Amino acid sequence: MIQTFQALVVSEEKNGDIRREIQTRTLDDLPEGEVIIAVEYSSLNYKDALSAVGNHGVTRRYPHTPGIDTVGRVFSSTIDEFSPGDQVLCMGYDLGMNTAGGFGGYISVPSDWVMALPQGISSLEAMQIGTAGFTAAQCVDRLCRLGLKNGDGPVLVTGATGGVGSLAVRLLSFLEFEVTALTGKPEQTVFLEDIGATHVMARGKLLRGRGKMLLRERWAGVVDTVGGEILATAIKATRYGGMVTCCGNAASGDLPLNVYPFILRGVTLAGIDSAICTMAQRKMIWEKLASVWRFPGLEKVSRTVTLDGLEKEIVSMLKGKARGRIVVDLREER
Ligand SMILES: NC(=O)c1ccc[n+]([C@@H]2O[C@H](COP(=O)([O-])OP(=O)(O)OC[C@H]3O[C@@H](n4cnc5c(N)ncnc54)[C@H](OP(=O)(O)O)[C@@H]3O)[C@@H](O)[C@H]2O)c1
């Protein structure tokens, strides 16, 4: 019997228009891979929204199925490390970029993209966290390794209502840091306080100092998800010896800055990548998320939709209106 499944397929017309529709696919439509995974859940990340609207910086070739995150069970495997039925995670690498991704009932991938789902975390929880939460955890891990401690002073999280931002707020609060959540959505103040923000700040307030070379020392640490003027202004107000992680460009890919925060205050700017980081790094972060960093309240920062509910969420995310995490349930798509 031919194995069929449903998938979101993004196509590019000759005139450049982009069409998104749910189609019936077969395993033969997937690329050759050592491991075929029956997807239980995926999640919507900013990169998926870009891929879904034809962004060639993310996806070069269409038709294509986005979805950089998947958790599911091994359907078949040509290598001994994985057996049918194993519960596994596959996130990042080329998945959902130019390799058909998690917005379909099955994926077919190289075995070195796959890891066992850590004990102590359910498949739903893994996608409530997803790449966004994994990235937030990488940022917090880096800040801690650079020496940041929870008594040191306020930590700024930018894009705080977004996927990475909201999980960074949640994790930092769980680890008893004082967290300032920066947002363009003041109407989400109650949400941000509920997930652990100590203070909520409007974007406009932070940006008031943007023209100056340096600003009053304020932040012990920063988790930035948006880039541009916001990141530059946050760095100018980072305390002597403070540290800043940079993982996103939701506002801009530019960084309009000078060298003074670095040469006068010894500020450290650390880049974070989740897509092609090593398997050792992935396992280390996921083990933490499944144990000492297993924070409660994932249901407060996430919602679950099915494939046909994705369209609305993609549009909302690209308008900067998303709040928290969107999990995609694919269990009925086969
Ligand atoms: N380096 C990596 O490996 C990695 C991994 C995951 C994500 N990322 C990147 O991190 C960023 C955030 O991802 P995400 O999944 O959290 O996206 P998201 O859920 O869409 O959240 C982005 C948030 O940024 C804020 N924002 C949006 N547009 C803005 C603008 N023009 N100016 C200022 N703030 C704006 C909004 O929050 P507020 O309204 O609360 O301000 C929005 O909710 C993206 O650029 C993504 O590509 C990178």
Side-chain angles (χ1 to χ4, degrees), residues 3-7 23-27 30 104-106 333-334:
Q3 197 74 38
T4 62
F5 60 94
Q6 302 300 109
Q23 293 182 3
T24 302
R25 314 286 279 170
T26 72
L27 291 185
L30 295 176
Y106 290 91
E333 306 298 350
R334 283 179 290 277

Side-chain angles (χ1 to χ4, degrees), residues 44-47 49-50 68 131-136 138 157-166 181-186 188 192 201 203 207 224-227 230 246-252 271-276 316-325:
L44 179 64
N45 292 277
Y46 197 76
K47 213 186 232 180
L50 293 177
I68 64 171
T131 288
F134 174 79
T135 307
Q138 281 184 296
V157 176
T158 69
T161 64
V164 181
S166 58
L182 186 81
T183 185
K185 307 183 188 85
Q188 295 296 341
L192 289 166
M201 184 188 265
R203 262 183 227 160
L207 285 171
D224 178 68
T225 72
V226 303
I230 291 177
C246 161
C247 73
N249 59 350
S252 168
I272 301 293
D273 164 66
S274 65
I276 53 171
S316 162
M317 179 169 269
L318 289 170
K319 287 185 180 156
K321 291 193 173 154
R323 188 185 94 171
R325 301 271 304 133

Side-chain angles (χ1 to χ4, degrees), residues 42-315:
S42 183
S43 83
L44 179 64
N45 292 277
Y46 197 76
K47 213 186 232 180
D48 301 318
L50 293 177
S51 172
V53 294
N55 184 305
H56 286 267
V58 177
T59 299
R60 289 188 304 279
R61 291 179 304 275
Y62 293 90
H64 172 66
T65 294
I68 64 171
D69 279 348
T70 50
V71 66
R73 289 194 183 269
V74 173
F75 176 72
S76 66
S77 167
T78 59
I79 60 137
D80 292 341
E81 191 186 341
F82 298 108
S83 307
D86 288 354
Q87 195 136 41
V88 290
L89 267 178
C90 180
M91 296 166 53
Y93 300 102
D94 191 50
L95 186 70
M97 294 181 69
N98 290 290
T99 301
F103 297 167
Y106 290 91
I107 58 167
S108 173
V109 290
S111 59
D112 53 7
W113 295 4
V114 183
M115 62 174 268
L117 182 69
Q119 295 247 321
I121 212 157
S122 71
S123 54
L124 175 61
E125 288 168 332
M127 285 298 104
Q128 288 171 322
I129 295 169
T131 288
F134 174 79
T135 307
Q138 281 184 296
C139 294
V140 174
D141 179 69
R142 182 71 72 87
L143 292 177
C144 294
R145 283 172 197 272
L146 287 167
L148 188 71
K149 291 187 286 307
N150 58 13
D152 286 350
V155 179
L156 179 73
V157 176
T158 69
T161 64
V164 181
S166 58
L167 284 172
V169 169
R170 193 73 209 94
L171 176 57
L172 284 163
S173 149
F174 174 73
L175 299 175
E176 299 183 353
F177 283 88
E178 178 186 343
V179 186
T180 299
L182 186 81
T183 185
K185 307 183 188 85
E187 70 280 6
Q188 295 296 341
T189 298
V190 172
F191 164 73
L192 289 166
E193 287 172 348
D194 189 40
I195 63 170
T198 326
H199 317 280
V200 176
M201 184 188 265
R203 262 183 227 160
K205 186 168 177 203
L206 180 106
L207 285 171
R208 270 183 219 149
R210 76 178 113 180
K212 303 212 170 122
M213 293 300 245
L214 276 175
L215 294 162
R216 181 170 67 80
E217 292 179 54
R218 191 156 191 182
W219 315 117
V222 179
V223 173
D224 178 68
T225 72
V226 303
E229 295 262 26
I230 291 177
L231 172 57
T233 309
I235 293 172
K236 291 178 193 173
T238 299
R239 288 183 187 176
Y240 190 91
M243 48 275 296
V244 179
T245 58
C246 161
C247 73
N249 59 350
S252 168
D254 292 334
L255 186 55
L257 189 58
N258 59 70
V259 297
Y260 296 114
F262 308 111
I263 66 174
L264 297 180
R265 291 185 179 161
V267 168
T268 300
L269 176 60
I272 301 293
D273 164 66
S274 65
I276 53 171
C277 71
T278 63
M279 190 47 89
Q281 165 85 355
R282 286 165 199 262
K283 287 184 175 166
M284 182 274 290
I285 294 286
W286 276 108
E287 286 302 333
K288 274 191 168 177
L289 286 165
S291 56
V292 285
W293 284 7
R294 197 175 192 288
F295 54 86
L298 277 171
E299 70 292 346
K300 289 183 185 175
V301 281
S302 64
R303 284 182 297 122
T304 302
V305 300
T306 50
L307 268 189
D308 50 12
L310 256 178
E311 178 63 26
K312 203 168 95 207
E313 306 299 342
I314 290 166
V315 173

